[in-house]
Amino acid sequence: MYSPDMHLAPGAKSKPPDDAARLALFGPPVFGFVPQPRLQERGWSWYGNHGRTLEAQAHYWLADPSGKFWFEDSPVGPIGIAELRGFVFTDVPGSTNRGGDPIRDALNQHLQYIVMNYAKNPYEFGSELWAERHTQQQAEIELALAHRSNLIVDDTALPAIVVTASDFTGTAMVLAGRVVTVVIHSADVGKIDVRLIRRV
């Protein structure tokens, strides 16, 4: 969606993706962060199996402290200078196919995915040391003790579980027949309002 606070670097052109049809096909409820000055919806990622969508992941651009969004042009289109290291996942329960508790399974899967892609790994990508560190990070998440917490959805605090690993915190719960998971970096928590709303 266009924001009047979006500022394009010279030569950049912005055309935010239109995910409305895909969201409608996935069906309600789908969750996202509450509207706020420092966030702009970047788009959605999807996971499915046999033609059925099982997961929607919301991505966001993060504005600078004055509320301006900055983009640079690239061969694949405009790239935000600051992406929020915070994501909201909405899953069909059991879609992870891990065979355990659907809330913890979803939390583990999403936290592992974000840590793998966003956490610092000091070794060369693809090297044996990189792979060993990655495997260690994944195991730490699987073995971490989950604590009780809350997610605030539509201004109501609801019970959830939380696990922290590699400077990221994952919080998950079941609501209205979906598993909702928020994964966010510790440095970005204070920059935004982490309350959720029903996006669809």
Side-chain angles (χ1 to χ4, degrees):
M1 80 185 57
Y2 173 76
S3 164
D5 297 317
M6 180 188 295
H7 296 267
L8 302 181
K13 298 182 177 78
S14 178
K15 187 178 180 182
D18 180 7
D19 290 302
R22 191 74 184 264
L23 286 168
L25 184 62
F26 186 45
V30 180
F31 300 91
F33 290 121
V34 294
Q36 53 195 287
R38 290 200 67 183
L39 288 186
Q40 179 179 314
E41 193 175 283
R42 176 186 153 210
W44 296 77
S45 296
W46 308 93
Y47 167 77
N49 194 8
H50 301 294
R52 181 177 174 220
T53 300
L54 300 173
E55 171 197 311
Q57 176 188 355
H59 302 258
Y60 297 88
W61 297 122
L62 179 65
D64 67 21
S66 69
K68 295 177 182 176
F69 296 90
W70 294 91
F71 294 84
E72 293 180 326
D73 207 4
S74 79
V76 296
I79 301 296
I81 292 174
E83 178 184 12
L84 177 71
R85 290 171 297 176
F87 309 87
V88 182
F89 299 85
T90 304
D91 294 49
V92 173
S95 61
T96 61
N97 291 317
R98 292 183 173 213
D101 172 71
I103 302 172
R104 181 61 194 257
D105 284 351
L107 189 155
N108 285 350
Q109 179 163 302
H110 299 316
L111 186 55
Q112 287 171 332
Y113 171 78
I114 296 303
V115 165
M116 178 181 72
N117 287 285
Y118 291 88
K120 292 180 180 177
N121 185 329
Y123 304 109
E124 182 181 350
F125 179 79
S127 69
E128 186 174 336
L129 289 173
W130 180 92
E132 288 174 1
R133 176 63 184 138
H134 167 66
T135 300
Q136 179 186 7
Q137 288 172 325
Q138 304 299 290
E140 287 170 358
I141 293 168
E142 293 281 348
L143 297 173
L145 181 64
H147 298 280
R148 292 183 182 181
S149 185
N150 292 296
L151 280 175
I152 298 175
V153 183
D154 295 329
D155 293 320
T156 302
L158 300 169
I161 61 171
V162 62
V163 170
T164 299
S166 301
D167 295 323
F168 283 91
T169 297
T171 310
M173 64 178 213
V174 169
L175 179 62
R178 296 279 167 88
V179 180
V180 186
T181 307
V182 174
V183 179
I184 189 165
H185 194 277
S186 60
D188 285 354
V189 170
K191 298 175 182 176
I192 68 162
D193 183 342
V194 297
R195 292 177 301 152
L196 302 177
I197 59 167
R198 293 184 187 227
R199 173 65 175 72
V200 174

